[in-house]
Amino acid sequence: MLRLLLLLSLLGATGALRAPLRRRRSASLPVGPYLTRYLSQQIDHFGFDENRTFQQRYLVADQHWKKDNGPILFYTGNEGDIEWFCNNTGFMWDVAEELNAMLVFAEHRYYGESLPFGNESFSDSKHLNYLTSEQALADFAVLVEYLKTTTAGAQHSPVIAIGGSYGGMLAAWFRMKYPHVVIGALAASAPIWQFGDLVPCGTFFSIVTNDFKKSGPGCSESIRNSWNAINHLSSTDAGLQWLSNTFHLCSPLKTPQDAVVLKNWLSETWVNLAMVNYPYKADFLQPLPAWPIQEVCKFLKDPSLSDKLLLQNVFQAVNLYYNYTGEASCLDVSQTATKSLGDMGWFYQACTEMVMPLCADGVHDMFEPQKWDFDALSEECYSIWGVRPRLFWILSMYGGKNISSHSNIIFSNGGLDPWSAGGVTQNISNSLVAIVIPDGAHHLDLRSRNPLDPKSVQQARAVEICLMKEWIEKARHSH
């Protein structure tokens, strides 16, 4: 859901699902040495007719592991290449020595190299039928049991699941569904309640808007006014040409429908900025300066400008996101972030069980009004994949807000992160703990320590480490 997970990128002008955007690759240096391994997994864990297997990729770093049943920190891979998540989850590397822990990063089926049917994996809904969170969790459980039975000294190693965004949801669900396999979970920026009718569909975009509102006078108002400006100009061929030239687009806009694509691209850009509004330079989705929204808002101070002047400023703002390095000769409206995220797989998941209602009203947020339309989504999914989404299945499967019977899960959320709208932000029990990081964007706490980290994330990590140590100590006494 990094874009998690960004369902906005799938929403078209009618509220239906459209083809996802392709994503640009961002460089990321490894944070530590690791071994790449593969495990043969059942394609279908829950039926007996399909007996074929596939190779699941996983990464192991054990240089700090205490071989006498030292703990295992297990990253529950989400919608992308596992090496990319490994290189962007510095928190695990930072605490490995302190906890004497082995690190394992497990790739999610249908992403990266872990393709159940190879090149045919995305060919049709029959091949995609085994792309579910339930099958992925079963992969993780089998992998943990395999590691504990085949690694000398790991038989009684306590395992803690860690993940961010969709991976954070999986970490929480892993603890809920397989409490005998993992002793606890750190679920960072995990919107486990962004389903059904558990939270208002408009809160997500209200948080994005508030991030921009707080970052500069006139900023969110300028973005709100930009939509009508684009509508006015896109009504003529000359206006479409002007928009194409002004935004330095690689492919010129030719129809009003192309202008809808432009607006969707801009909307996702603003959402992505909210997710990666980090206090230091970073290249998670794109290379960006510290507090990038503040930098963007320097171009968006006067919402009363004429259409063309306003949109020239909007271009300057998005150009900072897409061309901070100055290397882009043109801007491609089909690209918003790293190619390490797997769009096709997430597109299918959003059309089946990962149905997260989002909406905008243009009043409490800076976006064009966009109603949540499940029927339109269902029709679009059926026309593309031949499947229909199940709106309430995730609630039936994982319990929705009725999770008080579970234990040992940390839910961390950033106050700047729009996905906190569907996150757990208040303690449910003594062992279902919520941590809110007011200055944090999308799973900031899972990133490497940085001298520019706000105190709130330093404190959050301290609490997370303290709780994990408690879980580990308790597990040791039980053996």
Side-chain angles (χ1 to χ4, degrees):
M1 244 173 342
L2 272 170
R3 85 208 151 260
L4 266 82
L5 303 151
L6 203 50
L7 294 180
L8 168 69
S9 69
L10 306 178
L11 286 170
T14 64
L17 212 62
R18 65 176 175 83
L21 302 173
R22 287 184 290 111
R23 302 181 180 277
R24 177 179 159 190
R25 187 172 191 86
S26 70
S28 186
L29 295 175
V31 284
Y34 54 79
L35 298 173
T36 302
R37 293 175 178 163
Y38 299 84
L39 178 65
S40 183
Q41 292 275 13
Q42 293 289 144
I43 286 177
D44 183 9
H45 290 288
F46 304 111
F48 295 88
D49 184 61
E50 173 55 76
N51 203 35
R52 285 176 289 181
T53 60
F54 75 99
Q55 296 296 302
Q56 180 189 20
R57 179 169 58 155
Y58 64 100
L59 316 176
V60 178
D62 61 2
Q63 52 267 41
H64 297 299
W65 183 54
K66 186 179 179 182
K67 291 183 170 57
D68 183 19
N69 295 314
I72 297 172
L73 303 185
F74 187 94
Y75 184 87
T76 46
N78 32 329
E79 74 285 19
D81 188 296
I82 193 58
E83 289 188 340
W84 185 72
F85 290 114
C86 171
N87 295 336
N88 280 284
T89 311
F91 169 76
M92 289 174 60
W93 296 90
D94 290 342
V95 303
E97 185 171 8
E98 181 178 353
L99 298 180
N100 299 313
M102 179 194 300
L103 305 183
V104 177
F105 296 84
E107 191 159 68
H108 193 300
R109 56 170 55 206
Y110 287 87
Y111 295 102
E113 294 181 9
S114 301
L115 304 177
F117 298 100
N119 294 335
E120 296 295 307
S121 296
F122 298 97
S123 58
D124 55 37
S125 60
K126 181 179 179 182
H127 288 88
L128 279 161
N129 191 48
Y130 308 100
L131 173 51
T132 66
S133 61
E134 298 91 330
Q135 297 278 8
L137 292 177
D139 290 337
F140 297 156
V142 169
L143 175 54
V144 170
E145 296 292 356
Y146 169 79
L147 291 170
K148 294 179 80 167
T149 55
T150 61
T151 307
Q155 182 180 359
H156 299 298
S157 288
V159 181
I160 296 174
I162 298 177
S165 200
Y166 171 49
M169 296 156 73
L170 292 171
W173 293 337
F174 196 14
R175 169 61 183 168
M176 293 178 191
K177 291 295 184 181
Y178 296 90
H180 57 292
V181 176
V182 290
I183 64 166
L186 169 55
S189 297
I192 64 166
W193 289 346
Q194 193 69 48
F195 293 94
D197 54 1
L198 296 185
V199 297
C201 61
T203 307
F204 179 96
F205 291 111
S206 295
I207 294 173
V208 177
T209 301
N210 198 42
D211 290 348
F212 282 80
K213 191 176 290 185
K214 291 188 300 184
S215 297
C219 191
S220 64
E221 294 85 356
S222 294
I223 293 171
R224 183 183 286 117
N225 291 349
S226 71
W227 311 120
N228 278 335
I230 293 173
N231 292 342
H232 294 155
L233 285 162
S234 63
S235 63
T236 67
D237 290 342
L240 288 168
Q241 185 62 49
W242 184 90
L243 287 168
S244 302
N245 294 336
T246 299
F247 281 91
H248 296 239
L249 300 183
C250 301
S251 300
L253 307 177
K254 296 180 179 178
T255 68
Q257 185 58 35
D258 289 343
V260 173
V261 174
L262 172 67
K263 288 188 293 183
N264 288 335
W265 175 73
L266 289 171
S267 293
E268 187 178 0
T269 303
W270 307 135
V271 171
N272 282 356
L273 277 162
M275 286 199 294
V276 297
N277 195 26
Y278 296 131
Y280 45 75
K281 281 188 176 184
D283 66 348
F284 185 48
L285 297 180
Q286 295 277 11
L288 290 171
W291 297 118
I293 293 182
Q294 289 183 12
E295 298 302 312
V296 159
C297 285
K298 291 177 180 177
F299 298 106
L300 301 172
K301 295 179 178 179
D302 188 354
S304 65
L305 292 172
S306 66
D307 288 350
K308 288 189 174 181
L309 289 176
L310 177 65
L311 292 176
Q312 285 171 348
N313 288 345
V314 169
F315 163 72
Q316 294 293 337
V318 297
N319 194 54
L320 183 140
Y321 179 80
Y322 291 105
N323 198 23
Y324 182 59
T325 61
E327 297 174 358
S329 58
C330 61
L331 302 187
D332 186 346
V333 296
S334 70
Q335 295 179 340
T336 61
T338 171
K339 279 183 180 174
S340 296
L341 293 172
D343 280 324
M344 289 299 286
W346 186 254
F347 189 13
Y348 175 82
Q349 287 188 266
C351 270
T352 49
E353 61 178 5
M354 292 296 151
V355 187
M356 301 184 183
L358 298 176
C359 63
D361 62 14
V363 177
H364 299 94
D365 56 65
M366 64 186 189
F367 296 87
E368 275 198 303
Q370 176 76 70
K371 289 185 177 180
W372 167 246
D373 190 339
F374 176 75
D375 291 336
L377 167 69
S378 180
E379 290 303 320
E380 190 72 8
C381 289
Y382 188 77
S383 70
I384 295 170
W385 298 110
V387 298
R388 295 193 183 275
R390 296 177 185 172
L391 182 57
F392 295 105
W393 172 242
I394 287 293
L395 305 186
S396 300
M397 186 66 195
Y398 300 113
K401 291 191 174 183
N402 185 20
I403 58 174
S404 60
S405 61
H406 301 294
S407 64
N408 292 6
I409 304 174
I410 304 166
F411 296 98
S412 63
N413 282 281
L416 306 179
D417 180 20
W419 289 110
S420 66
V424 180
T425 54
Q426 292 186 330
N427 291 353
I428 295 173
S429 69
N430 290 336
S431 64
L432 295 178
V433 178
I435 298 175
V436 176
I437 307 165
D439 309 305
H442 203 47
H443 49 65
L444 174 63
D445 51 328
L446 291 191
R447 296 181 62 79
S448 297
R449 293 182 183 126
N450 189 290
L452 296 175
D453 277 332
K455 194 157 194 174
S456 59
V457 76
Q458 295 174 9
Q459 293 169 337
R461 292 187 186 123
V463 173
E464 292 163 359
I465 293 168
C466 181
L467 289 171
M468 288 194 291
K469 285 180 176 178
E470 287 181 11
W471 298 341
I472 292 166
E473 194 59 32
K474 187 175 180 181
R476 282 210 180 102
H477 285 306
S478 68
H479 285 289

